Structure formats: C-alpha cells, structure tokens
Amino acid sequence: MKRILIVEDEKDMQEIYRQMFLKSPKFEIEIISDAAVALKKLKESKFDLVILDIIMEPVPGDSFFVYLRTYTQTVDQPVIIVSVLEESVLENLKKFGKVYFLKKPITQEQLFKQIENVLQ
C-alpha cells in the first residue's frame, strides 16, 4: 500500500479526495490543510507521494514545494501539484526539481493515472 500525503486547505476539495480514495486498496491517504503541519509530518513519517495545492494560506504551496526540494530528507519526494493555475504559471518550480501537474478540476481516473506514472 502506498502512502500519500495530500496538502489541501479547501474543505470541499478535501472531501473530493476522500471520496476518490475511499475504495482504493492501493493507497492510504492523509489530508493536511496547513503546509507547516505537512512539513512536520513529512519529517516524522515516510510518504510515497505528496499531492499539493498551490493557492493556500498562510504558507503557499509553491513555498512548500521549494522547501521540500531544499530539505535533505525530502529533496527527492515525488510531488503532484493539483491547481486551478495553468501549468505555464508554475514552470518556475521545475528549476527546483521534478514535479508533476494536474489542472483542477480533476477526475479520479486522471489522478490515479498520474499517481501510477509518478510512482513507477
């Protein structure tokens, strides 16, 4: 079973993720709404993947991503950014390391296909 940390502050989107993963025996998810709490969690536990929103408060997702890429323990952490922003707006994040993108709204099929691609 793969462990996925979802960093998403919108309650509606958190519920969508819960429903998507509800019947999937392949994944165990943990949803955290605050990037600072998520950083602490990543230091304490091993996750196979992070799914990250960009537009968040008080710590934006792009700042969270840059920190992941500069912290030794998470420098290679696979990350999928799921955002309403266009991928071209997020291009500058690629200079900090490998990152994958999905544009909201997403379907379960799109998300699971991207997860499989990233984890292979």
Side-chain angles (χ1 to χ4, degrees):
M1 183 176 295
K2 299 294 185 180
R3 295 187 70 220
I4 299 174
L5 179 64
I6 300 172
V7 186
E8 171 65 61
D9 63 341
E10 291 291 327
K11 296 291 182 197
D12 291 343
M13 197 64 201
Q14 290 175 4
E15 187 56 33
I16 289 169
Y17 282 125
R18 279 188 191 87
Q19 292 303 314
M20 285 182 173
F21 287 97
L22 187 64
K23 296 183 179 175
S24 175
K26 295 167 61 172
F27 306 112
E28 173 189 329
I29 66 164
E30 186 165 343
I31 300 173
I32 296 179
S33 61
D34 182 283
V37 175
L39 285 172
K40 184 176 184 227
K41 189 70 173 179
L42 282 167
K43 290 177 183 179
E44 297 170 352
S45 301
K46 168 90 171 90
F47 288 88
D48 298 291
L49 175 69
V50 173
I51 296 174
L52 175 62
D53 184 26
I54 289 294
I55 303 171
M56 296 191 310
E57 295 289 331
V59 178
D62 53 349
S63 297
F64 175 86
F65 178 76
V66 170
Y67 182 82
L68 287 180
R69 291 299 179 248
T70 57
Y71 182 64
T72 306
Q73 189 174 334
T74 58
V75 70
D76 293 321
Q77 178 72 57
V79 176
I80 298 173
I81 292 176
V82 180
S83 179
V84 296
L85 299 174
E86 295 294 330
E87 183 174 345
S88 60
V89 175
L90 305 170
E91 281 294 315
N92 66 322
L93 293 179
K94 289 183 178 180
K95 68 183 174 187
F96 295 99
K98 194 165 196 166
V99 62
Y100 302 87
F101 298 99
L102 284 174
K103 183 165 177 19
K104 289 179 184 174
I106 59 170
T107 65
Q108 182 180 22
E109 182 180 335
Q110 289 171 318
L111 180 61
F112 282 25
K113 182 177 179 183
Q114 184 72 296
I115 290 170
E116 287 184 28
N117 289 340
V118 171
L119 294 179
Q120 285 183 8

